[in-house]
Amino acid sequence: MKILTATAELTPIAQAGGLGDVAAFLPRELEKMGHNAIIVLPKYRAIDIEKWGFKNTHKTLVVQMGYWNEYALLWEGTLPNSTVKVYLVENNEYFDRAGIYGDPIEFSDNDRRFIFFSKAVFEVCKALGYSPDIIHAHDYHTAFTLAFLKEFYQNDPMFSHTAGVYTIHNLAYQGKFNPDTALLYSGIPLSKFQPYSPYEYYGMVNAMKVGIMMADKITTVSPTYSQEIRWSYFGEGLDGVINSRAADFIGILNGIDYDEWNPESDLNISAHYSIGEFDKKSYNKHKLLLDYGLSDYDDMNLPLISMVTRLTDQKGVDLVIAKLEELLSQHNFRFFLLGSGNYNYENYFRYLSHRFPKNALNYIGYNAALSHQVIAASDFFLMPSRFEPCGLTQMYSLRYGTIPIARQTGGIADSVFEYDYNNQSGNGFTFWQYHPDDMAYAISRALSIYNNQPHWNKIRENAMNHNLSATTTATKYLEVYQWAINSQSNA
Ligand code: ADP
């Protein structure tokens, strides 16, 4: 199968979040299975052309925007650890600036930048003579490729058989645009801007809605999130739109990169370990605690609970703030926070370390190597998310035998299961109600399993044995691609 991935992020070349991970592992896995996958990405200023070995093809793309033409240059490279071709679309007016989306405030011309990019995807195919069976677009940035496929390109023999698949990574970011400009740039007539049409959303153009409505099949990154977003609490105003496409919509849990996240070979951690080698795992805890100011005179055997997270409302930080001080006063454990984001949240964790200098440690900032060390070193991983489309960190924790204490929502509910003392099944401690007391109760259940054998070893073995492989995920995406091709050819 020929599969084109259109994406605004790609790990490790240009990453801002989990989208980049999926955009990389999926083509890599598909290629291993014998499929022909290519990736198209904007050429951002931050991409290190030399480091990743990109070459200018000297091919110019003519991209029709509304009634005028614009231009792009095509660069070619390879996704690391694979032979998957990556094509960069260069247009310096749009992409030669700091950042990917604009942070904290999105760039005001994101409609124009990403509509341009979404059109350019088809010109990349023409320049390469690449006739895809599937165009797989991710999140609102590339949603317009699916509209363009149906509106402008399906009559072109190169794309007449092409089916469109759209993946929602986070419904919270939708791309709501002014219709006067968004429709002008995309060349879609204003007459199509009607209530209930794919292009109208409360007087705006909503790119996320466009993707959902124009795809042959839609996926999101976990089965539970695919159910949750049909309800208004999680639906971010698009629950009605999603329900209208419910028959073409499924959730597929992301896998994780087993090469990057492997406690047996991870170059970031001090001691490697496999299932059962928990003494070696504790060495990582010892090392982390020494690095963060404790000494051998301190008790190194206390349970360690950690968080590695963006400090935003989504991640349930308000529950932590409501309860952690009390818990640290009552129970004997340590807490490590690696995170950054909301300034008030950051300050809370600084305050907590001030109050409990030996028991509450923190690193405020983004540090990829430290994220591996913290996850390997910890006994428990706290993740009280308000919502979680998939969530990767609970899965990394499982792989490292670090027991999640997590709220049952989205991808967490599909990967973390309460430990059952009777039949010794389960890999974590969970709570459902978004309430500090429910979180605190899950934490106290977790603390009581610590060193309680045989359960303490058993739960960690269960965690490490849990299948999170990207190959399983890619196989499910292939089924969706085939489903999309079948429905496209029956249309
Ligand atoms: P989200 O994409 O909503 O932030 P995920 O759990 O899907 O949540 O992915 C978060 C990714 O970002 C993980 O790979 C995690 O290790 C990483 N991460 C988050 N915060 C930090 C940080 N402060 N330092 C290093 N890595 C971080």
Side-chain angles (χ1 to χ4, degrees):
M1 212 182 274
K2 283 185 172 168
I3 303 136
L4 182 151
T5 296
T7 178
E9 291 180 38
L10 183 65
T11 305
I13 293 166
Q15 185 179 18
L19 162 60
D21 289 330
V22 182
F25 85 64
L26 199 49
R28 201 181 271 134
E29 290 295 322
L30 293 166
E31 190 216 26
K32 279 192 218 154
M33 294 173 174
H35 298 279
N36 177 338
I38 68 169
I39 301 168
V40 189
L41 177 79
K43 183 171 173 288
Y44 302 111
R45 181 191 291 172
I47 295 179
D48 190 333
I49 293 301
E50 276 164 26
K51 177 174 174 189
W52 304 115
F54 282 98
K55 299 265 177 308
N56 190 342
T57 65
H58 299 288
K59 289 188 168 118
T60 302
L61 311 177
V62 181
V63 182
Q64 193 183 346
M65 294 283 281
Y67 53 81
W68 66 97
N69 287 335
E70 296 186 1
Y71 302 90
L73 260 179
L74 186 62
W75 291 68
E76 184 183 81
T78 308
L79 181 67
N81 304 322
S82 77
T83 54
V84 175
K85 288 276 175 252
V86 179
Y87 294 95
L88 302 182
V89 171
E90 176 183 307
N91 179 308
N92 289 337
E93 203 180 322
Y94 293 136
F95 304 120
D96 185 17
R97 56 177 90 170
I100 293 182
Y101 309 117
D103 186 24
I105 297 170
E106 296 216 337
F107 297 127
S108 58
D109 60 348
N110 271 355
D111 54 349
R112 188 165 181 158
R113 298 170 77 226
F114 288 116
I115 285 170
F116 170 83
F117 175 68
S118 299
K119 263 285 176 61
V121 164
F122 294 89
E123 301 309 320
V124 173
C125 292
K126 288 192 198 161
L128 300 172
Y130 185 85
S131 172
D133 297 304
I134 293 287
I135 291 181
H136 190 167
H138 294 265
D139 270 354
Y140 89 78
H141 328 102
T142 49
F144 266 92
T145 52
L146 305 174
F148 297 152
L149 177 64
K150 300 293 180 206
E151 298 278 0
F152 304 127
Y153 290 94
Q154 207 92 76
N155 293 332
D156 182 326
M158 255 188 109
F159 303 103
S160 56
H161 66 293
T162 307
V165 172
Y166 183 58
T167 295
I168 301 168
H169 294 260
N170 193 337
L171 207 55
Y173 305 96
Q174 296 184 1
K176 292 176 187 160
F177 302 138
N178 178 343
D180 289 335
T181 49
L183 293 174
L184 178 69
Y185 301 145
S186 57
I188 291 167
L190 207 55
S191 58
K192 295 207 171 184
F193 186 69
Q194 300 291 342
Y196 300 105
S197 87
Y199 303 111
E200 197 275 346
Y201 178 84
Y202 295 104
M204 287 174 285
V205 168
N206 181 327
M208 181 65 83
K209 177 177 176 182
V210 172
I212 295 167
M213 296 304 289
M214 300 307 279
D216 290 295
K217 300 295 168 198
I218 309 111
T219 74
T220 186
V221 287
S222 71
T224 298
Y225 191 62
S226 80
Q227 298 297 325
E228 287 172 339
I229 57 180
R230 294 168 199 217
W231 300 90
S232 53
Y233 179 84
F234 292 98
E236 307 277 353
L238 284 175
D239 35 308
V241 173
I242 287 163
N243 278 311
S244 77
R245 295 294 321 266
D248 298 302
F249 185 46
I250 73 160
I252 300 175
L253 192 69
N254 284 340
I256 61 171
D257 184 336
Y258 270 15
D259 295 327
E260 193 197 342
W261 291 92
N262 183 353
E264 293 178 31
S265 56
D266 188 334
L267 295 178
N268 299 296
I269 68 177
S270 313
H272 294 145
Y273 57 97
S274 53
I275 297 176
E277 297 183 318
F278 296 121
D279 290 350
K280 294 190 188 160
K281 177 170 167 61
S282 358
Y283 182 80
N284 292 295
K285 175 158 80 174
H286 199 109
K287 172 81 171 49
L288 183 79
L289 296 177
L290 290 181
D291 286 352
Y292 281 81
L294 275 77
S295 76
D296 282 323
Y297 295 110
D298 296 306
D299 180 359
M300 292 292 187
N301 291 321
L302 294 185
L304 177 62
I305 303 180
S306 66
M307 290 180 81
V308 175
T309 187
R310 292 184 291 123
L311 293 173
T312 64
D313 293 348
Q314 177 191 337
K315 300 296 178 178
V317 190
D318 49 342
L319 297 189
V320 178
I321 291 178
K323 216 65 199 180
L324 198 56
E325 221 172 322
E326 182 187 323
L327 288 170
L328 279 164
S329 311
Q330 289 171 350
H331 299 275
N332 222 357
F333 70 96
R334 289 204 172 85
F335 181 81
F336 194 110
L337 176 277
L338 164 60
S340 61
N342 179 309
Y343 185 66
N344 293 328
Y345 289 161
E346 290 182 353
N347 269 348
Y348 167 77
F349 289 103
R350 290 191 183 102
Y351 155 76
L352 200 70
S353 299
H354 177 72
R355 168 134 195 238
F356 301 96
K358 299 248 175 200
N359 284 37
L361 311 172
N362 74 60
Y363 178 105
I364 307 292
Y366 192 95
N367 185 329
L370 185 58
S371 71
H372 288 245
Q373 289 153 15
V374 171
I375 288 175
S378 304
D379 299 297
F380 300 100
F381 189 83
L382 182 60
M383 199 166 177
S385 305
R386 189 182 288 274
F387 67 95
E388 199 60 75
C390 175
L392 293 170
T393 43
Q394 85 279 12
M395 299 205 264
Y396 298 149
S397 300
L398 289 170
R399 179 108 167 102
Y400 282 62
T402 302
I403 302 307
I405 306 168
R407 181 155 178 269
Q408 271 194 301
T409 181
I412 298 175
D414 296 320
S415 54
V416 181
F417 305 95
E418 179 81 18
Y419 185 71
D420 180 333
Y421 281 81
N422 287 326
N423 56 26
Q424 301 191 1
S425 63
N427 56 18
F429 294 92
T430 63
F431 62 103
W432 182 77
Q433 192 80 19
Y434 191 80
H435 194 284
D437 289 341
D438 292 61
M439 181 192 73
Y441 182 43
I443 291 177
S444 66
R445 290 201 307 282
L447 290 174
S448 69
I449 204 174
Y450 183 72
N451 279 343
N452 173 359
Q453 299 295 11
H455 304 288
W456 180 226
N457 279 357
K458 183 64 185 159
I459 190 172
R460 294 187 289 176
E461 284 163 20
N462 291 353
M464 293 178 82
N465 278 323
H466 197 89
N467 177 10
L468 301 162
S469 120
T471 316
T472 312
T473 306
T475 309
K476 291 188 179 148
Y477 273 101
L478 267 179
E479 288 169 15
V480 172
Y481 294 157
Q482 195 55 56
W483 187 31
I485 289 169
N486 295 347
S487 66
Q488 199 274 350
S489 55
N490 292 335

